[in-house]
Amino acid sequence: MMHMKEEELIAYREGVAEQRAVIADHLAACEECRAEMARIEAVLAALDTLPVPDPGADYGRHVWKEIAPRLAEKPDRWWQVWFAPRRLAAAGGIVALIVAAFLAGRISKRGNAPDNVANQEQVRERVLVVAVGEHLGHSERMLIELSNEAPENPKQKEVDISAEQRRAEDLLQENRLYRQTALREGDAGLANVLDELERVLLDVAHSPGEVTPVQLEAIQKKIEARGILFKVRVVNKELQQRQEATKPAPPQNDSAKRERNKV
Amino acid sequence: MTRMQQSVDSTQAIAESDAVAVERTLAGDRDAYRVLVERHSHSVFRLAYRMTGNRHDAEEVVQEAFLRGYQKLGQFAARANFGTWVYRIAANYAIDRMRQRQKEDARRDTPRIEDRDGMENDPVNRVQDEAPTPERLTQSLELRKQMEQALAALSEAERTAFVMRHWEGCGIEEIAGVLKSSSSAAKNTVFRAVQKLRYALQPFVETKTQVRAMGTES
């Protein structure tokens, strides 16, 4: 007599088998498979004894007390999701700094003209330097983690990359805003790197949450082939230098940006 | 009316009542959300505890799930079951939390001290039929330790699939949604989880059964 596979017995026990009637009939007739099923059930029954602590009768009230102060007056409607804090965080930061740059420019117009232009340029520069530096840091960490993902054992059929995928989705929104801002600011070098990063983020965000080892390797190879991690690191380092350079009062020297734009 | 019919009616009544609470919340009645939080907190906690394996993380997951649920409530409007929806948010956040915790532990390079819930929660005390002899006590504590280790050794996806299917009775489609995978991949993940647990625990379950049999004979 042909016996049931372990996979079929587990699927039957967990209620996800497609041919339930066939398995049930077989179990009724086959002592060996019944014994195998009993061994599976013994393990599951033992697991069912693992306790879950009782959080208490008033737990719901406790949760409400904890979260109520953190809730907005009214939840967002579906269309407002596009304007959710997370998605607007990057844009908000940029807008705030651009406004600051504009105001700084207006106020300093009262002073001498060359200095004003330099100051205005300096603040604009810092807009990208601070916010984009942070964004690149987050992207770099996500890509490193993804590059280091590997199946736990050679037999593993799928690798879970859902956390990286979700982070890529978030980073993608920010990346678009920064790339557009970099283009507007005339920083073509930075815009190019962000454009390349965006393609990688898109690939990751559109991947399934679980990928086969072959798919994972393909994603990792794409990351490696584009040299995106190296480019992100170089730009981030340069941004840090620019951040240092824009801190003091001396007039802004934008030769570094022009140099990179030539690349 | 049969018990099953009563249960179906009660589930339907809760779903309808949830839908009303959601609409009222969206209309600006913040207290209506309180009803949803108080109604579903226990079940979300149970899911979160089974996924994360410790109370502190579970409580964090519950709070975060309801916070995110509130923020995204506008996206929920067309759906029917708030409980299932908030479950999914909690499961997703629990996966992130488990990953984060794993990385923190790896960085510290020291085993994390899980919060133990003391002897009152030990499986041995849930068995009504026999008095806990020293052998049984030792075996049960050992088994519990092994079970916790076996669950911790599952990947996040496997643990999520197992908890959602075996303990929470979620549908494969729902699990696939959380895992962002196909239904067949989700089924396969459930299988892998049970298989891993089986191989890790079968020797201990058999030992325990033998010890029990010996104890009963004496």
Side-chain angles (χ1 to χ4, degrees), chain A residues 2-140:
Chain A
M2 283 278 285
H3 295 296
M4 285 286 155
K5 288 182 203 157
E6 184 189 29
E7 189 170 354
E8 290 168 317
L9 293 176
I10 289 174
Y12 180 80
R13 174 60 183 74
E14 291 303 298
V16 293
E18 274 158 24
Q19 296 183 306
R20 284 195 69 78
V22 175
I23 301 172
D25 286 348
H26 180 84
L27 282 172
C30 178
E31 197 177 328
E32 207 170 311
C33 284
R34 275 205 306 279
E36 178 75 345
M37 179 64 101
R39 284 190 285 273
I40 295 169
E41 285 188 336
V43 170
L44 293 171
L47 281 160
D48 290 344
T49 64
L50 267 180
V52 174
D54 180 4
D58 63 346
Y59 181 61
R61 274 199 294 277
H62 166 75
V63 174
W64 175 252
K65 209 172 134 189
E66 288 292 318
I67 68 165
R70 293 151 70 192
L71 298 179
E73 277 306 305
K74 212 171 162 182
D76 295 337
R77 289 279 177 183
W78 66 268
W79 52 268
Q80 289 172 309
V81 171
W82 289 99
F83 301 95
R86 192 184 64 186
R87 291 189 178 171
L88 281 183
I94 292 171
V95 169
L97 285 167
I98 287 173
V99 168
F102 174 74
L103 289 175
R106 294 283 293 230
I107 292 161
S108 60
K109 266 184 184 164
R110 290 171 199 143
N112 86 34
D115 280 355
N116 293 338
V117 175
N119 285 341
Q120 214 170 333
E121 182 66 20
Q122 234 177 2
V123 180
R124 278 209 189 94
E125 183 87 351
R126 294 191 77 177
V127 169
L128 287 171
V129 169
V130 176
V132 178
E134 201 174 312
H135 168 72
L136 290 176
H138 290 153
S139 302
E140 189 187 339

Side-chain angles (χ1 to χ4, degrees), chain A residues 14 51 56 72 145 160 166 210, chain B residues 70 96 99 103 121 157 165:
Chain A
E14 291 303 298
E145 281 168 26
D160 184 3
R166 280 193 288 274
E210 284 204 344
Chain B
Y70 186 83
D96 289 348
R99 287 196 153 210
K103 280 169 192 159
N121 274 327
R165 181 65 210 164

Side-chain angles (χ1 to χ4, degrees), chain B residues 34-179:
Chain B
R34 180 186 191 140
V35 175
L36 295 166
V37 170
E38 292 189 0
R39 184 176 292 153
H40 296 284
S41 281
H42 276 84
S43 57
V44 176
F45 174 82
R46 197 180 56 221
L47 169 85
Y49 182 83
R50 282 177 161 154
M51 281 183 72
T52 60
N54 77 85
R55 190 171 184 146
H56 180 265
D57 284 351
E59 289 186 355
E60 191 190 312
V61 168
V62 174
Q63 289 179 23
E64 193 60 32
F66 283 108
L67 276 171
R68 289 183 182 192
Y70 186 83
Q71 284 155 5
K72 295 179 179 177
L73 205 59
Q75 294 171 58
F76 165 75
R79 302 181 199 183
N81 195 331
F82 177 83
T84 309
W85 186 68
V86 78
Y87 236 57
R88 188 172 164 158
I89 297 174
N92 275 319
Y93 184 69
I95 292 174
D96 289 348
R97 193 74 195 92
M98 286 190 283
R99 287 196 153 210
Q100 200 183 340
R101 182 67 85 181
Q102 236 171 21
K103 280 169 192 159
E104 283 167 11
D105 289 350
R107 267 202 298 274
R108 278 199 296 269
D109 203 26
T110 49
R112 186 163 55 95
I113 300 163
E114 297 280 346
D115 65 337
R116 307 282 175 195
D117 302 301
M119 290 297 290
E120 70 274 14
N121 274 327
D122 193 85
V124 76
N125 294 330
R126 300 185 151 215
V127 180
Q128 303 287 316
D129 57 347
E130 295 165 71
T133 64
E135 288 86 356
R136 280 192 55 224
L137 191 66
T138 311
Q139 289 295 326
S140 291
L141 288 173
E142 178 60 19
L143 177 60
R144 177 173 171 180
K145 198 175 122 196
Q146 293 298 335
M147 289 194 289
E148 284 169 345
Q149 281 175 0
L151 281 166
L154 297 179
S155 71
E156 292 88 4
E158 287 160 357
R159 185 159 178 155
T160 304
F162 179 73
V163 168
M164 289 185 78
R165 181 65 210 164
H166 181 75
W167 278 321
E168 304 299 327
C170 298
I172 283 293
E173 291 298 328
E174 202 181 324
I175 298 168
V178 169
L179 299 181

